[in-house]
Amino acid sequence: MSDGAKRQSDRIGVIGAGLGGLAAACTLAARGHKVILFDKNDWLGGKAAVLKGDGYRFDMGPTILTIPAVLKRIFDEAGRNMADYLDLVPLDPQWRCFFDDGTQLDLQADVAKMRAAIDRFTGDNRSGDGYGKFLNVSARLDEISNDVFFWKSVGGVFDTFDSSKMFDLANLKRCLELRLGRTVSGLVRQHIPDARVAQMVDHFVQYVGSAPDQSPAVLCSIAHMQTEQGVWYPMGGTAAVPKALTKLATELGVEIRYSTPIKQILVEGKTARGVVTEAGETIPLAAVVSNSDTVRMHRELLEPAVRKSFESRRTYEPACSGVVLYLGLKKRYEQLLHHCFVFSRDPHEEFDAIYRQGIPAPDPSAYLCAPAITEPGVAPPGGDALYVLVHTPYIHPGQDWTKLLPDYRQVILDKLKRTAGLIDLEENIVFERALTPADIERRYHTLQGAIYGLASHGRFFGAFKPANRSKEIRQLYFAGGTAHPGPGMPMVMMSGWIAADTLDKDRAGTRF
C-alpha cells in the first residue's frame, strides 16, 4: 500500500447518496470522522429526485414526510438548527380518502376530532371508539418499538431484548404486547368494524409496501407515529431534504464523489478495506457504509461465499413496486387535498392480486399528491403537478411493462375519474411522464423493481430487516430501505444514523 493510500485509509466510505447514505455521512462527519461519499449519479438524493418539464415540477419518489424528529436528530448531531436548512409546512388534514361507494373521509391528526368525524361518517360510534382504542394500542407499540427496536442495529428478535432479562416478567409482558402472531389487518378489524375506515387505517402499512393481512401487527405503530408527529411538506418538495443534507455534509467536510459507481468492496481477512470504482480506481478505507440495496450489494459487490452466507439466513422477498404517473394539469381539482388516497372497491381482491398472484390489481388503490395547494409554484398559474402512484407487484418473470403500461394507465385514469370525480382529467393533461417497475429497477438499482426494499411479510418476524452491521464482514455497515428499520423517508434516514452510530461506537471500542 502506498504512502498516499496509507494517509487516506482513515477515511470512511459511504456508497450511495440516497437519504440513508446522506444521513450516515452527515452523522459520521459530525462526530469527527473523515468521510467520502460516492454516488453513481450526477445528483444526490436517490429516489428523492425531481422531474421538471413545461413549467411543472414533480417529486419523483417519496412525497410524504413524517416523523421529522429523525431528520432533526441528524442536524442536532452537528449542532445545527434544522429550520435554517428546511422550511417544513404541517399538513392537516393529513389525507383525504375517496371510497368506491362515493363517500369521502379526511384523516385528521387530532384524535378527538377524528373520532367525531368517523362517528358522523359511519352513523354510529363503534368505529370512532374503535379508532381511539386502536390508536392507544398503536401508541404502546410505538413506545415499545422506540425502546427495543429503533435507534440501534437490529436484525432479529434476539437483538431487541437483553438476553440476561429474557425471562423477566416485564420483558415477557412487553413481548405479549407486541401482538406476535397477529397481522395488521387483524388488529385493525378487531377495533374498527366499518370496512371503509378499516381500509383507510390499513394503508398506514403501505408506507412499507406490504400487504396488511401478511404483515405483523407491530407495524400498527406507524399510525401513532404519524398522528403524534404529523405530516409535513418541505417547501421545494421532498427533494429539499437531500438538498439540505447535502449542504450540511459539505459544511462538515464530507468529500462527495458524483458519477462514481462502485464495482467492488475490497475485503481482506473478512474485513472491509476499501472500494474499487467502475473506472478502476482503488480507494483504501477504514470502513464502509453501503446505502445500496443489501441483497444486490451482496450479490454484485462481494465474493460469492459472503453472499451465500447472507442469503442462507432468510428469504429476501422484495416489497411491492408501482406505476407512477406524473401529470401536468392545466387546472386544479378543488376536491383534492395535498395528499389523497383513492381506494379500491375490495382491498382483499387488490392485495391478493399484487402480493399473492403477482399481477396488477384490476381495481387498484391510487395515492395522489396535488402539491399546488401548498406550493403553487410547482405548476403554471391555475394548474397542478399531479403525482399518481399505484402499487403493483415487484417484477415477475414474463412481465413486460412496455406492453402492460398503456392498458394499465387507462385503468388508473378510469379509477380516478370514477372514484375521485376527476371526470375531465384526460382533457386537462398537458404534460405526462411515467415510471414503471422496470424503470424503477433500472433507475434505482433495486431488487426486482421494489420501491420499498424488502417486504415486511410474516406474522412473527416480518418487521425485521438485515441489521445495520454486517454479520459476515467487519467494518461493513448497511443503510437504506433494505436495512433496519426499513423503508419510508424517516426510517431510511434513521437507518443511516444507526449505521453511523454503530460504526462510531465500534471504532471507539476498538472492536476492529
Side-chain angles (χ1 to χ4, degrees):
M1 186 178 293
S2 69
D3 290 341
K6 289 179 181 177
R7 285 197 298 271
Q8 294 176 10
S9 63
D10 61 341
R11 293 187 300 177
I12 295 168
V14 179
I15 303 173
L19 292 173
L22 283 165
C26 289
T27 302
L28 287 166
R31 296 192 184 186
H33 297 281
K34 297 177 183 178
V35 180
I36 179 168
L37 176 62
F38 305 95
D39 200 272
K40 66 183 179 66
N41 300 306
D42 59 4
W43 46 271
L44 306 186
K47 297 185 184 74
V50 177
L51 171 66
K52 294 181 179 179
D54 296 347
Y56 295 91
R57 189 192 78 223
F58 303 86
D59 285 318
M60 290 194 71
T63 60
I64 300 179
L65 176 61
T66 61
I67 324 179
V70 176
L71 187 55
K72 182 178 181 298
R73 188 164 185 166
I74 296 163
F75 284 94
D76 287 347
E77 287 276 355
R80 308 297 172 89
N81 184 356
M82 184 175 71
D84 293 336
Y85 295 77
L86 281 167
D87 180 11
L88 298 182
V89 178
L91 301 179
D92 195 18
Q94 298 177 342
W95 307 333
R96 174 158 289 169
C97 302
F98 296 88
F99 297 99
D100 195 65
D101 64 359
T103 56
Q104 296 179 26
L105 179 63
D106 290 349
L107 178 65
Q108 301 174 67
D110 185 279
V111 178
K113 291 180 180 178
M114 192 66 219
R115 289 179 60 173
I118 292 172
D119 289 347
R120 291 192 298 272
F121 180 73
T122 60
D124 61 53
N125 64 359
R126 292 182 303 152
S127 289
D129 287 347
Y131 178 78
K133 292 174 183 176
F134 169 80
L135 280 184
N136 289 336
V137 174
S138 176
R140 179 57 180 156
L141 290 171
D142 186 20
E143 180 184 357
I144 296 171
S145 295
N146 273 292
D147 189 23
V148 304
F149 189 72
F150 293 143
W151 303 111
K152 62 181 179 179
S153 179
V154 169
V157 68
F158 293 110
D159 295 329
T160 62
F161 295 106
D162 182 345
S163 59
S164 67
K165 300 179 181 178
M166 186 59 71
F167 298 104
D168 180 271
L169 287 177
N171 259 351
L172 292 172
K173 181 176 182 292
R174 194 159 52 179
C175 281
L176 292 174
E177 287 185 284
L178 286 174
R179 270 68 175 182
L180 296 175
R182 301 287 304 279
T183 65
V184 168
S185 63
L187 189 61
V188 169
R189 281 155 185 78
Q190 176 188 338
H191 293 88
I192 301 172
D194 186 88
R196 297 163 301 175
V197 180
Q199 189 176 20
M200 176 189 74
V201 177
D202 269 347
H203 264 64
F204 282 112
V205 82
Q206 291 303 284
Y207 285 130
V208 299
S210 301
D213 59 353
Q214 293 177 256
S215 301
V218 68
L219 293 178
C220 290
S221 60
I222 297 171
H224 178 259
M225 295 178 200
Q226 178 168 311
T227 54
E228 181 73 10
Q229 293 203 38
V231 170
W232 301 79
Y233 177 73
M235 295 301 290
T238 49
V241 175
K243 183 178 179 181
L245 290 172
T246 300
K247 180 182 178 184
L248 177 63
T250 302
E251 292 173 355
L252 294 173
V254 174
E255 179 185 347
I256 300 174
R257 298 279 298 270
Y258 295 87
S259 303
T260 308
I262 300 302
K263 181 174 70 174
Q264 181 185 359
I265 296 174
L266 294 174
V267 177
E268 297 177 6
K270 294 189 177 181
T271 299
R273 296 296 189 190
V275 296
V276 179
T277 70
E278 280 197 358
E281 181 184 4
T282 297
I283 302 174
L285 297 165
V288 175
V289 177
S290 173
N291 187 47
S292 305
D293 182 291
T294 53
V295 177
R296 294 196 66 162
M297 185 274 296
H298 278 85
R299 293 175 180 175
E300 297 167 13
L301 301 186
L302 293 168
E303 294 297 319
V306 178
R307 179 194 71 197
K308 184 177 180 181
S309 175
F310 173 78
E311 295 193 348
S312 68
R313 289 199 298 275
R314 67 176 79 180
T315 299
Y316 297 98
E317 178 193 2
C320 72
S321 188
V323 167
V324 187
L325 303 180
Y326 308 98
L327 307 178
L329 306 181
K330 62 184 179 182
K331 69 173 283 187
R332 293 187 198 173
Y333 289 92
E334 298 302 321
Q335 69 266 42
L336 300 182
L337 294 183
H338 191 120
H339 299 300
C340 299
F341 281 100
V342 182
F343 285 114
S344 65
R345 66 191 172 214
D346 183 345
H348 306 291
E349 173 191 65
E350 177 187 12
F351 296 136
D352 181 68
I354 296 170
Y355 297 105
R356 294 184 178 86
Q357 298 183 54
I359 60 174
D363 184 68
S365 294
Y367 160 71
L368 307 184
C369 181
I373 190 174
T374 308
E375 187 176 5
V378 299
D384 212 336
L386 188 65
Y387 169 111
V388 183
L389 167 64
V390 167
H391 285 165
T392 68
Y394 59 83
I395 297 171
H396 285 65
Q399 289 180 343
D400 182 349
W401 275 98
T402 61
K403 297 177 180 177
L404 290 171
L405 180 62
D407 287 344
Y408 207 55
R409 170 190 179 274
Q410 196 59 53
V411 169
I412 295 168
L413 296 182
D414 289 346
K415 176 66 179 179
L416 300 183
K417 290 188 286 186
R418 183 176 66 254
T419 306
L422 309 186
I423 304 301
D424 57 352
L425 176 60
E426 288 169 280
E427 302 166 25
N428 286 287
I429 299 172
V430 295
F431 174 89
E432 181 172 356
R433 296 290 186 275
L435 207 62
T436 69
D439 298 323
I440 292 166
E441 181 182 41
R442 281 193 298 269
R443 181 178 174 89
Y444 303 118
H445 207 65
T446 63
L447 185 64
Q448 292 173 258
I451 295 176
Y452 307 94
L454 301 173
S456 297
H457 293 158
R459 291 170 181 256
F460 289 93
F461 307 118
F464 295 107
K465 303 294 183 287
N468 307 93
R469 180 198 288 120
S470 172
K471 294 183 182 296
E472 282 77 27
I473 304 296
R474 292 184 295 273
Q475 298 176 207
L476 178 60
Y477 301 81
F478 307 132
T482 55
H484 172 75
M489 287 185 75
M491 298 298 106
V492 165
M493 289 186 285
M494 187 189 293
S495 78
W497 185 93
I498 296 170
D501 179 68
T502 305
L503 188 162
D504 179 58
K505 290 177 177 175
D506 284 348
R507 290 183 68 77
T510 63
R511 181 176 178 268
F512 302 152

